[in-house]
Amino acid sequence: MARGIIIEDLHKQYGVGDTAVEALKGVNMQVGPGEVVGLVGPSGSGKSTLLKCLGAVIEPSNGRMILGGESIYNQKWNIKDLGALRRDSIGFVFQAPYLIPFLDVIDNVALILMLAGKSNDESRKRAMELLEALDVAHRAKAMPSQLSGGEQQRVAIARALVSRPPVILADEPTAPLDSERALAVMKILNEMAKQYETAIIVVTHDEKIIPTFKRIYHIRDGKTIEEAGEGREI
């Protein structure tokens, strides 16, 4: 699992003293390269806190995190530039696509590479390759407002993959979609995971897609329990 995700005994406490709240109480997870794993649990169970720790948005209180073969946290951050870590090593897909409204599709995808110092031509070439793989290349010059909901989400997935990150964190990526489009998104995530050996965690309440996972982590009261999923063919 050199390029996957490893979480060991991860804790996160908010506040101190009598007002302290322990949101994560020793979470353990493993996601291999090329694997898509579900993370489910009720509101307040710690899902969002775990995703924020993995995304280097907030700092854990204790434990260890390895992303893409690199120890990023071991009782403290091992990475000096967390912004670069998020840009280069972690792809994010959210419930809303959050596309930049004044950029066309290809530049929405290419922007991350441009910010990393790649040339405009190289960035757009890589973006176009992904748009073709996701069957939205014909919309490359369209503005986000001209896209359907399903097309917007596919562009968001292309943006998450454009820097070839070893890890993608997807937070309710199918919530606004109907069954057909939700399953299409999951098919894309599974295909992209295998093609690029990306480890993907999908946080979801969406009953439509839960049968597609081969492994599921349930989180409740800050702790995780792993179970086998159905792994239904999409």
Side-chain angles (χ1 to χ4, degrees):
M1 193 174 294
R3 279 182 49 83
I5 301 168
I6 300 174
I7 306 169
E8 296 178 345
D9 196 29
L10 199 70
H11 292 254
K12 176 58 182 179
Q13 178 177 300
Y14 294 105
V16 294
D18 294 340
T19 61
V21 175
E22 197 171 11
L24 301 179
K25 304 175 182 179
V27 168
N28 294 282
M29 288 180 70
Q30 292 195 19
V31 185
E35 186 176 20
V36 181
V37 166
L39 178 63
V40 301
S43 297
S45 59
K47 298 189 306 296
S48 294
T49 295
L50 178 55
L51 219 62
K52 289 175 182 176
C53 288
L54 271 172
V57 176
I58 61 174
E59 183 173 359
S61 303
N62 208 342
R64 187 170 179 236
M65 297 190 296
I66 299 172
L67 299 185
E70 183 175 15
S71 175
I72 68 164
Y73 184 87
N74 190 357
Q75 320 306 324
K76 63 178 183 180
W77 290 118
N78 296 331
I79 304 293
K80 291 183 178 180
D81 190 342
L82 294 178
L85 172 72
R86 288 190 292 268
R87 183 191 67 215
D88 300 334
S89 298
I90 307 169
F92 296 92
V93 181
F94 302 101
Q95 179 174 337
Y98 293 118
L99 302 178
I100 298 172
F102 53 83
L103 294 180
D104 62 17
V105 163
I106 192 166
D107 279 348
N108 259 281
V109 177
L111 181 61
I112 289 177
L113 295 181
M114 295 177 186
L115 292 174
K118 303 292 185 183
S119 71
N120 289 0
D121 287 347
E122 182 181 358
S123 299
R124 289 192 177 102
K125 179 181 178 183
R126 169 68 181 147
M128 185 58 79
E129 289 172 356
L130 278 168
L131 293 173
E132 288 173 354
L134 293 166
D135 197 27
V136 280
H138 63 292
R139 307 292 271 155
K141 291 301 181 181
M143 304 304 285
S145 62
Q146 298 172 307
L147 305 181
S148 69
E151 287 172 335
Q152 288 184 19
Q153 199 64 308
R154 278 182 277 166
V155 174
I157 292 170
R159 180 181 58 192
L161 286 162
V162 73
S163 61
R164 292 192 176 96
V167 169
I168 286 181
L169 306 176
D171 189 5
E172 300 284 2
T174 64
L177 305 177
D178 61 28
S179 294
E180 183 178 353
R181 289 184 174 89
L183 292 174
V185 166
M186 290 307 301
K187 183 175 183 180
I188 288 166
L189 288 176
N190 277 277
E191 289 172 350
M192 296 293 105
K194 291 174 183 176
Q195 183 174 348
Y196 299 109
E197 294 193 325
T198 306
I200 301 179
I201 293 178
V202 178
V203 174
T204 188
H205 288 101
D206 191 347
E207 296 291 338
K208 302 187 295 290
I209 67 169
I210 287 175
T212 69
F213 297 110
K214 293 181 180 178
R215 287 199 304 127
I216 297 171
Y217 282 93
H218 291 267
I219 185 165
R220 185 180 294 275
D221 298 326
K223 295 184 178 181
T224 46
I225 300 172
E226 180 188 354
E227 72 170 17
E230 293 182 37
R232 190 177 298 173
E233 289 294 325
I234 307 171

